[in-house]
Amino acid sequence: MPDVTAPPPQFRRAVASLSAVRPRPELVVSALEAPPRLAPYSWAFSVEADIGHRGDGFDDLDEPDTSGRLILLHDPAGQDKWEGTFRLVCFVQARLEPEQLGDELFPVVGWSWLTEALEQAGADHVALGGTVTQTSSVRFGDISGPRRDDDVELRASWTPTGTDLAPHAEAFCTLIATAAGLPPVGARSLVQRTV
């Protein structure tokens, strides 16, 4: 008798293709517990970046400059809003540079990080939507400190087309690298940072 609780083959193939991503060394990829009630089947991973990250496994990423998570949802019956049976949901949080604070056009730039990453990776999709938000926070109590107006959050979801989701994982890693301010792969920064 077949196991009715086992994930369907198409979901297992999708997870395998997302898991196959090999990000650049400055990014740290970790498996995450996926939210269980969003779809019959779900899977997730996180990506963290830090400008000073060496990629040798010994960095402290307790408070990374940029982090994000990508969640794969699968409903074999499909959902009308998704326009398919799979849905990718991402959340990215990054620190802004002082000159970016209050820039009214910055949300457009933040959104272009995602759309350009999807296009460059060849990650075909439909039903793309999301938000870009600049946040302000004030610390109190044990973590009190100066007011911080330096975070941007990008939330988005889209329906991948095709069966190979590796380009979507690649695009997500590119999004994290761009949000972190990492130079393109192979390019060297003209500014020497001290860590």
Side-chain angles (χ1 to χ4, degrees):
M1 182 174 211
D3 181 1
V4 294
T5 61
Q10 63 269 31
F11 179 74
R12 292 194 309 265
R13 284 192 298 273
V15 168
S17 65
L18 288 172
S19 300
V21 70
R22 298 292 171 248
R24 57 193 287 174
E26 301 94 337
L27 302 180
V28 177
V29 177
S30 306
L32 276 182
E33 188 76 27
R37 293 188 281 279
L38 298 177
Y41 303 97
S42 59
W43 181 84
F45 70 94
S46 69
V47 178
E48 294 181 339
D50 195 303
I51 296 297
H53 181 58
R54 298 183 305 267
D56 60 7
F58 296 104
D59 292 317
D60 180 10
L61 288 176
D62 284 343
E63 194 173 335
D65 289 335
T66 304
S67 63
R69 53 189 181 267
L70 185 66
I71 303 167
L72 171 66
L73 305 175
H74 178 54
D75 185 343
Q79 294 191 17
D80 291 340
K81 289 182 181 179
W82 293 3
E83 298 181 32
T85 59
F86 286 100
R87 190 78 175 161
L88 288 165
V89 179
C90 81
F91 172 76
V92 176
Q93 186 172 30
R95 291 194 181 140
L96 294 175
E97 296 295 326
E99 62 272 9
Q100 296 170 320
L101 299 177
D103 184 343
E104 293 180 9
L105 293 178
F106 186 77
V108 175
V109 172
W111 186 251
S112 74
W113 295 342
L114 172 62
T115 57
E116 290 174 10
L118 289 168
E119 183 180 331
Q120 291 170 1
D124 295 330
H125 60 278
V126 295
L128 172 65
T131 62
V132 177
T133 307
Q134 292 183 17
T135 63
S136 173
S137 62
V138 179
R139 297 175 178 226
F140 296 96
D142 289 345
I143 62 167
S144 66
R147 181 173 184 211
R148 292 182 46 191
D149 290 324
D150 62 352
D151 289 336
V152 63
E153 295 178 351
L154 184 148
R155 297 171 190 267
S157 63
W158 63 93
T159 299
T161 58
T163 56
D164 181 12
L165 301 189
H168 298 271
E170 179 184 325
F172 183 68
C173 289
T174 299
L175 168 61
I176 297 294
T178 303
L182 295 173
V185 173
R188 297 188 73 176
S189 176
L190 296 176
V191 178
Q192 192 73 349
R193 291 185 177 247
T194 56
V195 182

